[in-house]
Amino acid sequence: MVFSSLTFLFYFFPAFFLLYFLTPNSWKNLVIFMGSLVFYSYGVIENPAYIILIILSIVVNFLISQKLDKRYRKGTRKRWLYIGVLYNFGVLFLFKYLDFVTENLNRILNFTKIGITLPYADLVLPIGISFYTFQITSYLFDVYKKKVPVERSVMKLGTYLCMFPQLIAGPIITYSQIREQLYERKHSLSKWENGIREFTIGLSLKVLIANRVGGLWTQVKAIGFESISTPLAWLGIIAFSFQIYFDFYGYSLMAKGLGEIMGFSFPDNFKNPYLSKSMTEFWRRWHITLGSWFKEYIYIPLGGNRKHHYRNLFIIWVLTGLWHGAGWNFILWGLFCFLLISLEKAGLGKIFNKFPLLGHLYMFLLIPLSWLLFAVPDIGQIVIYVSRLFPFFGNNGLVVYAGDFMKYAETYAYSLIAALICCSGIPRKVYEAKKQSLWMALILVILFWLCVYSMYIGLDDPFLYYQF
């Protein structure tokens, strides 16, 4: 079930929140837990065993966390921590990376011609497994480091892990960020109103912008990269850059809004990343909770910037690439980000800080290029696309035929302009300044029903980050 669907808006949403607010405060966490399992079950309806997988994650990590309690000796606690991490990432490896490893081993075996081919598991990736694996593992680390007390209620731990607004695509929330809210939180009409507003804004970004510009990228892929002109190649990858941003940013706003309705305060996941002057700054603004997770649980324990700085950066970016997907394009994407950030830390970043316009031009070029590596799984197709973007480096000359470009530019002009304006952060500033006005409420009502109409006619694509 996706937030941008009529099923969620007109069935799950009213039924869940009616039950939630009719339930006494002492039982509200149970309503969230059970409602979230229903929500997740709908998403894995073709693989119902996966609901058992997430319940096992709760139970196994709950039992292990009890062994991490400070009453036990340090050696015993460390062993149990290793067992918990091995379980969590072992399950993630099984479903997400096993076939990728098998495929590459088979390539090596085929090259050696020894006549052995390893079988593939062909397992369907459970929705949201990367997100909830990182969340529950952060809980084990925090209990081990005595950053938070061990949770004695399996239901509260389940509520934390399964909370449906952020279960499938984040933001990645640590237990320490919402522990107190699990025990006591306030509900009010103002929180309800603000939550509905944030949800509506996120829904509009997803349905009216991300889905729309995503259609352009889909058509570019359908044409075939060999057959597009240079202008259309740039227009297509810019469209994907807008799509992935408003798709994920929209989801994060919807998750934040739903959480606020329930009395929770979720962390921000985006801060106008496309206004960045460097790739370093970009990754402080994009998917903030993932970056914070890697910094807190991998980068700092490795030594951070105190020792082996570039080695640590290399490890972080290879892992970041792999987190997003089991494919060489994701590893290449991670290495590309590592290279740029390393150059910026070596001195390039100072130039962009001194000359902001140069930094913005630099990012205007590199943001679409980085997303190209992310969007196209086949390395050969990436090479073809780059040859379209920069034809003067190849043998075919400049591909300037503008017929295809004009056709799609006219079709998607309004959506692309809306995306560009929303990237600037100006609409958000206007909203914050006028959010209490009647006309702003009217605009949000109109946007909501435009979204409903768009979903009714079929513009309810799944979120891109569901696949991670």
Side-chain angles (χ1 to χ4, degrees):
M1 189 186 308
V2 297
F3 297 158
S4 56
S5 68
L6 299 179
T7 301
F8 178 83
L9 291 178
F10 295 105
Y11 292 95
F12 184 87
F13 183 99
F16 172 83
F17 281 108
L18 179 63
L19 179 60
Y20 180 80
F21 284 108
L22 289 177
T23 302
N25 288 341
S26 58
W27 292 91
K28 278 182 166 47
N29 285 338
L30 180 61
V31 173
I32 295 174
F33 181 48
M34 298 306 297
S36 297
L37 291 181
V38 171
F39 177 87
Y40 191 75
S41 297
Y42 189 93
V44 296
I45 194 168
E46 296 181 357
N47 299 280
Y50 287 176
I51 195 67
I52 299 175
L53 194 66
I54 196 168
I55 291 174
L56 273 176
S57 182
I58 298 165
V59 173
V60 170
N61 283 279
F62 174 79
L63 294 174
I64 290 175
S65 69
Q66 307 307 302
K67 300 296 184 180
L68 298 178
D69 192 7
K70 60 185 178 182
R71 294 176 298 175
Y72 293 89
R73 291 181 301 176
K74 184 176 181 180
T76 301
R77 296 173 67 244
K78 184 173 287 189
R79 282 193 293 272
W80 280 109
L81 176 65
Y82 290 157
I83 291 172
V85 171
L86 183 62
Y87 173 81
N88 292 328
F89 285 98
V91 172
L92 181 62
F93 175 85
L94 175 66
F95 285 94
K96 191 169 184 175
Y97 303 105
L98 179 59
D99 278 353
F100 175 65
V101 172
T102 301
E103 178 186 2
N104 285 281
L105 287 176
N106 280 335
R107 287 176 179 173
I108 295 172
L109 291 172
N110 183 58
F111 179 77
T112 59
K113 298 181 180 180
I114 61 176
I116 297 176
T117 301
L118 301 176
Y120 292 93
D122 288 327
L123 297 173
V124 177
L125 184 68
I127 296 175
I129 189 171
S130 296
F131 287 93
Y132 73 71
T133 297
F134 270 38
Q135 286 205 172
I136 199 62
T137 303
S138 73
Y139 165 70
L140 293 184
F141 279 126
D142 287 350
V143 171
Y144 175 78
K145 292 186 293 185
K146 304 178 184 178
K147 185 176 179 179
V148 295
V150 65
E151 179 55 65
R152 301 298 183 188
S153 167
V154 67
M155 189 270 294
K156 281 190 174 66
L157 186 64
T159 302
Y160 156 68
L161 185 64
C162 295
M163 200 179 301
F164 75 88
Q166 49 79 59
L167 169 62
I168 294 177
I172 299 172
I173 301 172
T174 62
Y175 183 71
S176 61
Q177 289 175 312
I178 64 167
R179 179 182 180 274
E180 293 183 1
Q181 299 169 58
L182 284 170
Y183 279 83
E184 185 178 357
R185 57 188 179 274
K186 295 181 180 180
H187 303 85
S188 65
L189 185 60
S190 62
K191 283 190 172 184
W192 164 271
E193 180 186 357
N194 198 61
I196 290 292
R197 286 169 174 267
E198 291 295 325
F199 180 87
T200 302
I201 294 170
L203 182 67
S204 302
L205 294 177
K206 163 61 179 170
V207 175
L208 303 180
I209 296 183
N211 287 359
R212 182 63 178 161
V213 297
L216 172 54
W217 174 244
T218 299
Q219 289 182 304
V220 168
K221 290 190 294 182
I223 294 170
F225 299 158
E226 302 91 343
S227 304
I228 58 176
S229 69
T230 294
L232 182 58
W234 279 105
L235 191 67
I237 198 58
I238 288 171
F240 178 79
S241 301
F242 285 144
Q243 180 192 11
I244 194 170
Y245 173 49
F246 289 109
D247 182 281
F248 197 16
Y249 178 38
Y251 182 96
S252 295
L253 284 180
M254 283 187 269
K256 188 177 178 68
L258 291 169
E260 190 163 4
I261 294 172
M262 295 188 290
F264 290 94
S265 178
F266 292 169
D268 291 329
N269 216 18
F270 292 88
K271 290 184 179 179
N272 299 317
Y274 286 177
L275 297 182
S276 302
K277 300 182 293 294
S278 67
M279 193 61 72
T280 303
E281 182 185 357
F282 178 87
W283 280 100
R284 293 193 187 114
R285 294 167 172 254
W286 177 284
H287 205 344
I288 298 169
T289 56
L290 177 66
S292 297
W293 195 98
F294 274 116
K295 179 180 179 180
E296 177 73 19
Y297 301 105
I298 305 293
Y299 184 68
I300 292 177
L302 285 173
N305 56 10
R306 292 177 289 105
K307 57 180 180 179
H308 307 300
H309 178 40
Y310 289 101
R311 181 208 66 179
N312 298 340
L313 277 177
F314 175 81
I315 293 171
I316 288 298
W317 280 104
V318 170
L319 292 177
T320 300
L322 284 171
W323 182 88
H324 281 89
W328 284 108
N329 67 304
F330 291 109
I331 297 175
L332 183 61
W333 171 76
L335 293 175
F336 182 70
C337 292
F338 161 72
L339 176 62
L340 294 176
I341 290 172
S342 297
L343 291 173
E344 291 168 7
K345 289 187 178 298
L348 189 61
K350 294 180 180 179
I351 298 175
F352 298 139
N353 288 330
K354 187 175 181 179
F355 303 100
L357 179 59
L358 183 61
H360 288 304
L361 291 173
Y362 159 82
M363 289 303 293
F364 181 79
L365 174 67
L366 288 179
I367 286 174
L369 288 178
S370 67
W371 288 135
L372 173 63
L373 303 178
F374 193 94
V376 181
D378 185 86
I379 303 298
Q381 289 295 305
I382 292 174
V383 173
I384 293 172
Y385 205 101
V386 170
S387 73
R388 286 313 198 190
L389 294 174
F390 304 103
F392 38 82
F393 290 130
N395 299 320
N396 298 323
L398 186 62
V399 185
V400 295
Y401 169 65
D404 58 355
F405 170 79
M406 292 303 300
K407 172 185 176 181
Y408 292 104
E410 290 177 2
T411 302
Y412 291 95
Y414 293 117
S415 299
L416 292 168
I417 291 171
L420 184 62
I421 293 172
C422 289
C423 279
S424 71
I426 293 174
R428 185 73 196 193
K429 291 180 180 179
V430 173
Y431 167 74
E432 293 295 343
K434 304 293 182 181
K435 66 187 300 183
Q436 300 304 326
S437 65
L438 180 61
W439 64 268
M440 183 59 72
L442 180 61
I443 289 174
L444 291 178
V445 170
I446 293 173
L447 287 174
F448 175 79
W449 287 108
L450 281 175
C451 291
V452 170
Y453 174 73
S454 297
M455 289 182 282
Y456 176 74
I457 63 175
L459 298 178
D460 56 348
D461 296 341
F463 290 88
L464 293 179
Y465 266 69
Y466 275 13
Q467 63 187 293
F468 307 128

